[in-house]
Amino acid sequence: MASSVSLADLKAWNQSPANPKILAEHNITFAFTTHDLKEEKDLLTNLKKAIEYGLDKTKALEALTTIPAQILGKSTQLGHLKTGAYANFLITSGDIFD
């Protein structure tokens, strides 16, 4: 079975968890989405793996909140908790990524 997997696929599987860290280190704007995921629950799994591979948790949270709002041109309305903005928020008893 392993012989039927291309080298490009093997490299992608090996390197993709570190990509968000590399983007952040080079100040390249990115956001996390569920686009092209087989299941939406994979978003959190992939996000945790990116953090394990060195992505700063603050950058991870920005890629889920403020950055998507900026990309959509809605940063005055979304992505933060401020008066007059739409808000969805989650209260946790610990680290949101645990």
Side-chain angles (χ1 to χ4, degrees):
M1 168 121 175
S3 62
S4 66
V5 178
S6 73
L7 179 59
D9 284 342
L10 290 173
K11 287 176 78 173
W13 293 333
N14 181 56
Q15 296 172 354
S16 62
N19 287 343
K21 175 186 181 254
I22 294 166
L23 292 172
E25 288 175 344
H26 289 88
N27 295 316
I28 297 171
T29 301
F30 66 95
F32 292 110
T33 74
T34 57
H35 181 72
D36 278 347
L37 292 179
K38 290 181 182 176
E39 296 185 39
E40 288 184 8
K41 68 179 182 173
D42 292 338
L43 177 67
L44 184 57
T45 301
N46 294 344
L47 185 57
K48 286 180 178 183
K49 194 166 200 174
I51 291 168
E52 287 175 26
Y53 277 70
L55 177 63
D56 179 76
K57 289 181 179 182
T58 300
K59 291 289 185 185
L61 189 57
E62 290 171 356
L64 291 169
T65 57
T66 57
I67 300 300
Q70 289 172 6
I71 291 170
L72 294 171
K74 300 287 185 180
S75 58
T76 60
Q77 300 167 312
L78 303 170
H80 53 80
L81 296 176
K82 292 183 181 173
T83 302
Y86 296 101
N88 291 319
F89 60 95
L90 174 69
I91 299 171
T92 67
S93 60
D95 188 321
I96 192 168
F97 299 115
D98 285 341

